[in-house]
Amino acid sequence: MRFTGDYSSTHRLADGTPVRLRLLRRADREKLVAAFDRLSPESRYRRFFTAMPRLPEKLLRSLLDIDGWNHVAIGAETVTTDPPRQRGWASPASSVSRTTPLSPRRP
């Protein structure tokens, strides 16, 4: 399946929150870095199986340099908040081959 830049699909999370799935774009760079920075060290370790104090540039490039065919990266963002808040991303062709939710750090 080929994904074009206008790909968008709306779904509901288990708690009923509506989210929009769409392809990541280069303009999402700062959002991804900020979402990663909100993760606790424990959450980062559980998601990436290594201590990761910052999102590696190589992984960030891999998530943002997509072609919609051989390499895709899809983000999930809230539909009801303004501005939309990122809820997660997935990229089967990147070094992270599973869905990686970006949930905020718990107090």
Side-chain angles (χ1 to χ4, degrees):
M1 178 175 184
R2 185 164 195 75
F3 292 90
T4 60
D6 61 348
Y7 167 76
S8 178
S9 178
T10 303
H11 300 273
R12 289 200 180 276
L13 299 178
D15 68 1
T17 305
V19 293
R20 178 181 308 110
L21 302 180
R22 65 170 178 78
L23 290 179
L24 292 180
R25 350 180 225 278
R26 287 192 174 105
D28 293 321
R29 179 184 188 85
E30 294 307 314
K31 288 180 188 178
L32 285 172
V33 170
F36 181 86
D37 288 345
R38 287 191 302 269
L39 295 173
S40 70
E42 179 183 357
S43 184
R44 291 176 191 170
Y45 186 83
R46 288 180 181 217
R47 284 166 171 76
F48 299 100
F49 304 111
T50 186
M52 193 177 290
R54 68 188 57 78
L55 192 59
E57 184 63 31
K58 183 177 178 179
L59 176 56
L60 195 52
R61 276 195 316 265
S62 140
L63 289 168
L64 300 174
D65 293 335
I66 61 170
D67 62 12
W69 182 253
N70 293 313
H71 181 67
V72 297
I74 296 175
E77 61 189 10
T78 57
V79 175
T80 55
T81 59
D82 187 28
R85 193 179 121 233
Q86 289 223 297
R87 294 293 299 253
W89 46 264
S91 179
S94 76
S95 62
V96 178
S97 60
R98 60 183 173 77
T99 301
T100 305
L102 293 175
S103 50
R105 195 176 348 197
R106 299 204 192 281

